[in-house]
Amino acid sequence: MTERIDGHTILIGLMAYPIRHSMSPMMHNNAFAKLGLNYAYLAFDITDDKLKAAVNAIRTLDMRGANISMPNKQKIIPYLDKLSPAAKLCGAVNTVVNDEGVLTGYTTDGTGFMRALADEGLNIQGKKMTLTGAGGAGTAIAIQAALDGTAEISLFNLHDTTWESAKRNVRIINQETNCQATLHGLEDKEDFKREIASSAIYCDSTGVGMKPLENLSLVEDPSWFHQDMIVFDTVYAPRTTKLMKVARQAGVKHVFNGLGMMLEQGAEAFKLWTGKEMPVAYIRDLLF
Ligand code: NAD
């Protein structure tokens, strides 16, 4: 690291709270070193009261940009100059790029999901997706999939605090994209089963399957799945979730955890800052 830092090193930040546990600094700094790029990526504890000043610091310090995580993903929007189409539709930002003082907000979680599928030679353009969850991850996935040409999305959610977000996502997708989205209550299991049966992909973005809901799955019966479909869990700890076990029992060919999505959302941000592709396979082998 000391060999790499000099008077020309360009800074990229991670602004969130709590954030000290994040793998992102390791991921980006190792990728910069591997490619010989003169950048450094540092994490900063940023809460609401410091957010405006932190965003101004991106301009003042001529930083190339930042990653943004909770609790700042929505709150940062008024402080930025521009938003990407996906960030605008999601109403959330996880990456900021500074182009000579003009700050643009992007959201790369949805792109990370689509890139993770592409890495496996899979494409859901023109196909139907059943998706559970409408929080941060589910919103990014639904909006990006719709923007990228997914034909239909059946969104299932509990009638909890994110139900309004689920309603908003479906409304926006139908208004702003060519994808046809429908909203369903997760309580109706027959409906859930029927929609999965007619889908090319089932994606779970609820976090069921990770602590404290480890060893649980929203689908427990392998007969709900068909072999030719994709089953994608956004959870990456544990690496094999209950949902993935159920899908494998059903003989589903394409079963994934969220590690590829996590790496690829970072790779998308890396590309926005540096113009270069992150060496994803190298980072995966090194850190995960
Ligand atoms: P969130 O809290 O914003 O949203 C959670 C969603 O799950 C809501 O729609 C909620 O209704 C639903 N939900 C919660 N508990 C449920 C239950 N018991 N049954 C059914 N639905 C339930 O969370 P988030 O930020 O969207 O994260 C969700 C998951 O996605 C987490 O596991 C997180 O680790 C994962 N994630 C992965 C990546 C990645 O890159 N792989 C990125 C972001 C999030």
Side-chain angles (χ1 to χ4, degrees):
M1 186 73 170
T2 47
E3 286 159 22
R4 287 206 304 112
I5 305 287
D6 64 18
H8 299 280
T9 304
I10 299 165
L11 179 60
I12 293 171
L14 168 57
M15 301 177 170
Y17 185 82
I19 201 56
R20 296 294 167 182
H21 62 283
S22 171
M23 289 296 284
S24 294
M26 300 271 285
M27 185 158 97
H28 289 289
N29 286 317
N30 278 294
F32 297 145
K34 176 75 176 166
L35 299 189
L37 298 173
N38 199 357
Y39 291 80
Y41 183 108
L42 293 179
F44 299 99
D45 283 326
I46 302 295
T47 40
D48 293 10
D49 51 324
K50 292 196 215 160
L51 184 58
K52 188 175 180 187
V55 175
N56 279 333
I58 298 176
R59 296 190 183 89
T60 309
L61 302 178
D62 205 15
M63 294 167 64
R64 178 60 178 136
N67 272 146
I68 307 300
S69 195
M70 293 315 280
N72 303 325
K73 283 185 166 186
Q74 285 103 25
K75 289 173 187 146
I76 194 170
I77 289 176
Y79 306 129
L80 300 175
D81 302 303
K82 294 198 283 187
L83 292 178
S84 72
K88 198 171 192 173
L89 296 187
C90 289
V93 162
N94 79 340
T95 302
V96 174
V97 178
N98 178 11
D99 291 304
E100 295 174 359
V102 178
L103 302 188
T104 306
Y106 295 84
T107 175
T108 67
D109 281 335
T111 326
F113 168 74
M114 298 301 288
R115 284 173 68 135
L117 290 176
D119 288 345
E120 303 292 337
L122 298 167
N123 179 349
I124 55 171
Q125 233 182 343
K127 301 194 174 142
K128 173 170 172 178
M129 169 159 70
T130 291
L131 173 66
T132 38
T139 297
I141 288 169
I143 298 285
Q144 194 65 51
L147 286 172
D148 288 356
T150 300
E152 276 180 70
I153 297 176
S154 295
L155 175 59
F156 283 81
N157 209 77
L158 290 178
H159 284 81
D160 66 4
T161 50
T162 57
W163 181 255
E164 284 306 313
S165 160
K167 268 169 55 181
R168 176 191 173 278
N169 293 352
V170 164
R171 190 185 68 244
I172 284 182
I173 288 168
N174 288 329
Q175 275 171 3
E176 306 288 335
T177 77
N178 293 324
C179 176
Q180 198 192 332
T182 49
L183 180 57
H184 308 250
L186 194 46
E187 297 81 3
D188 186 343
K189 296 296 172 202
E190 278 307 308
D191 186 30
F192 187 28
K193 178 180 171 182
R194 221 172 20 245
E195 291 302 305
I196 288 178
S198 60
S199 293
I201 175 167
Y202 167 59
C203 175
D204 183 18
S205 76
T206 64
V208 172
M210 73 180 237
K211 272 185 186 161
L213 303 175
E214 228 168 337
N215 296 319
L216 293 180
S217 168
L218 295 176
V219 179
E220 292 189 325
D221 181 347
S223 74
W224 286 27
F225 294 132
H226 55 92
Q227 293 187 353
D228 293 330
M229 71 186 301
I230 302 166
V231 173
F232 194 110
D233 198 335
T234 60
V235 170
Y236 51 86
R239 291 285 187 271
T240 305
T241 61
K242 175 80 187 293
L243 169 64
M244 294 169 68
K245 287 179 192 160
V246 173
R248 285 189 180 132
Q249 250 180 296
V252 173
K253 282 188 199 138
H254 307 292
V255 180
F256 306 108
N257 63 27
L259 187 58
M261 173 178 165
M262 198 271 279
L263 285 161
E264 289 291 1
Q265 63 74 32
E268 179 71 8
F270 189 91
K271 191 168 184 189
L272 288 167
W273 297 317
T274 67
K276 308 260 191 260
E277 284 295 340
M278 177 185 271
V280 171
Y282 167 77
I283 296 295
R284 183 194 294 256
D285 291 348
L286 189 71
L287 299 180
F288 298 99

